[in-house]
Amino acid sequence: MDQRVMLLAPDHVSDELGGSYQDACQALDLEPTPGGYAIYLMDTMNHRTTVICANTGPVRQAKQDYESGGEGSLVNALNLDDILDIRIGWPEECGGGPRCQFCRNPDPTWLYEGADVEVLLGAPPFDIGSPQVIGTDVVGCMDWYACDVCHELIQAADQHSWHRLLDQYGFSHVPMPVQAAWCEFWLNHRRPEPAPPPAWTPARRRATANHLRLHWDEWAARYPLDDVVFTNEPGRPELAGVDRALAIARAYLHQPPPPGRIRSYPAGPASIVRADGNDWSLIGRTDSHAIILLDDVPEVLHPLKGPQTTSLLRGLEELIGAP
C-alpha cells in the first residue's frame, strides 16, 4: 500500500491545492475548522481512497521531524476514531484524475472498455499470509486507461508481453488479486480508443499551475515565446478574462488577499511567483514571463511579458513578507 499524507490547516495549505485555507476547504467540500485536517491519500490494490481525519498532531510531528533531518515516519498514525470521512479517489489537485491502470502513469493516452472484475478471496492456507484468490466474477464493464507503453503490450497480446505488463506494476511482486483482475481484462476487452482529455475544472487549473511551477524550464522550452505576438490593445473580447484576472491581481498589491493566495519559490537568481483567484491562476518568473490560466478558457496558456508583468510579479512577491 502506498500512502501520502497532506496537512490542511490555517497555517499550512499544500502547493497542490494552492490558495488560502478557506479556498482549499471549499475546494474539498470541508468546513474550515480552526484545527484543520490530516488528509491521507491511500493507494491500495490499484484503487485510490482519501481518508480525512481531524487529528493533525501526528502529521505535524512527522513534518517537524523530517524538517529536522529525521525520517518523518507516519507508521500507525491513522486512528479510526479520528476519521471524519472516507472518499473514493483522490482530489484532482493531488493526481486524482485518470491514470494508467497498469503502471500508474498520470497521463494515459488510451481507453479500453473492459471487464469490471470482482475478485473472490479466501482465507490463506493455515491462516498465514495474504488471502488467496478463489475465483473472479465479471460484474459488468468499466473503462481501463493505459499509457502508450502499456497499450503496446496489451496490443501485442502474447505471453511475453503479459509478463512485461506485470512488470509495469512497479513492485517486485504483483498481488494476486490484481493479477486476477488484469487477467480478466486481458481476455475481455474491446478495441482501444484515444483517451479523451480530462475535463477542465478549477481543480485541474490549480493542478496545472502547480505543474507549471515545478517544471517551468521544461514548459518554457516546449512553448517558446519568440513567435508569440503580444498586444497592449485594450478591450479585445478574447482577452477580457485575462484583463479581469490581471486587474484582480493588481488589486492584491493594494488590498492583500488571504495568506496562501500568493506564493513564491526560489528559481536561481530569480523567483517563480504564483497567485490564485476564484477562477484564475497566475504563474510567472520574475526575470522572464508569466502565464494566466482561466476556468472559462480550457486548456489555454495565456502568456504575459514586459515591464508591467515583471513589476506585478515582484510586487506580489513582496507582499508575502509584508506584515
Side-chain angles (χ1 to χ4, degrees):
M1 179 184 72
D2 291 340
Q3 173 181 293
R4 292 171 51 201
V5 186
M6 182 170 61
L7 175 65
L8 175 60
D11 60 339
H12 182 86
V13 177
S14 70
D15 291 322
E16 291 96 333
L17 292 171
S20 68
Y21 176 57
Q22 289 75 15
D23 295 334
C25 287
Q26 182 178 2
L28 298 180
D29 194 23
L30 294 171
E31 186 69 25
T33 61
Y37 303 91
I39 301 176
Y40 292 78
L41 305 172
M42 309 287 199
D43 194 343
T44 308
M45 300 289 288
N46 219 27
H47 292 283
R48 288 177 289 191
T49 306
T50 300
V51 180
I52 300 173
C53 298
N55 183 9
T56 63
V59 182
R60 291 184 181 276
Q61 183 60 47
K63 182 174 179 289
Q64 182 179 354
D65 179 51
Y66 180 79
E67 292 173 348
S68 301
E71 295 183 359
S73 175
L74 274 169
V75 176
N76 298 324
L78 185 56
N79 190 318
L80 294 179
D81 294 334
D82 298 325
I83 295 177
L84 301 176
D85 195 11
I86 299 176
R87 302 176 181 180
I88 301 300
W90 289 358
E92 190 171 356
E93 297 93 334
C94 304
R99 62 175 180 173
C100 177
Q101 285 166 262
F102 305 96
C103 70
R104 304 175 186 177
N105 184 314
D107 297 308
T109 48
W110 295 94
L111 179 63
Y112 291 82
E113 183 181 343
D116 186 2
V117 183
E118 184 176 289
V119 180
L120 308 178
L121 301 177
F126 307 107
D127 291 327
I128 298 174
S130 302
Q132 61 180 342
V133 176
I134 59 176
T136 58
D137 278 343
V138 177
V139 296
C141 293
M142 61 175 284
D143 291 336
W144 291 69
Y145 287 88
C147 66
D148 285 334
V149 173
C150 294
H151 163 72
E152 291 181 5
L153 297 174
I154 295 166
Q155 294 302 104
D158 55 41
Q159 193 70 14
H160 177 66
S161 297
W162 165 250
H163 289 291
R164 288 184 60 197
L165 186 66
L166 292 176
D167 291 340
Q168 290 292 101
Y169 188 75
F171 297 94
S172 58
H173 173 69
V174 183
M176 289 306 298
V178 174
Q179 290 193 42
W182 286 16
C183 186
E184 287 289 352
F185 164 81
W186 185 266
L187 299 173
N188 298 283
H189 64 262
R190 296 184 184 274
R191 288 184 176 182
E193 298 180 355
W200 184 255
T201 62
R204 186 149 180 258
R205 184 249 306 163
R206 291 189 291 269
T208 301
N210 188 52
H211 191 271
L212 282 168
R213 188 267 300 184
L214 290 170
H215 305 282
W216 181 264
D217 291 340
E218 296 175 29
W219 280 87
R222 186 184 306 177
Y223 301 105
L225 298 184
D226 296 341
D227 299 328
V228 176
V229 178
F230 290 84
T231 178
N232 289 322
E233 297 178 24
R236 296 185 61 168
E238 65 270 27
L239 297 178
V242 174
D243 291 340
R244 181 178 54 81
L246 279 174
I248 298 173
R250 293 189 181 107
Y252 284 175
L253 300 178
H254 306 287
Q255 187 172 355
R261 283 203 172 187
I262 303 173
R263 297 164 184 253
S264 177
Y265 312 89
S271 299
I272 292 178
V273 177
R274 172 182 172 184
D276 289 286
N278 292 333
D279 56 1
W280 57 270
S281 293
L282 168 69
I283 184 86
R285 182 169 165 136
T286 53
D287 63 351
S288 180
H289 63 282
I291 289 171
I292 282 186
L293 303 169
L294 303 172
D295 281 355
D296 56 1
V297 186
E299 308 287 349
V300 176
L301 308 179
H302 300 275
L304 310 165
K305 72 174 183 179
Q308 292 183 348
T309 299
T310 300
S311 177
L312 173 61
L313 293 173
R314 290 176 176 169
L316 291 171
E317 183 179 31
E318 290 175 0
L319 289 178
I320 298 175

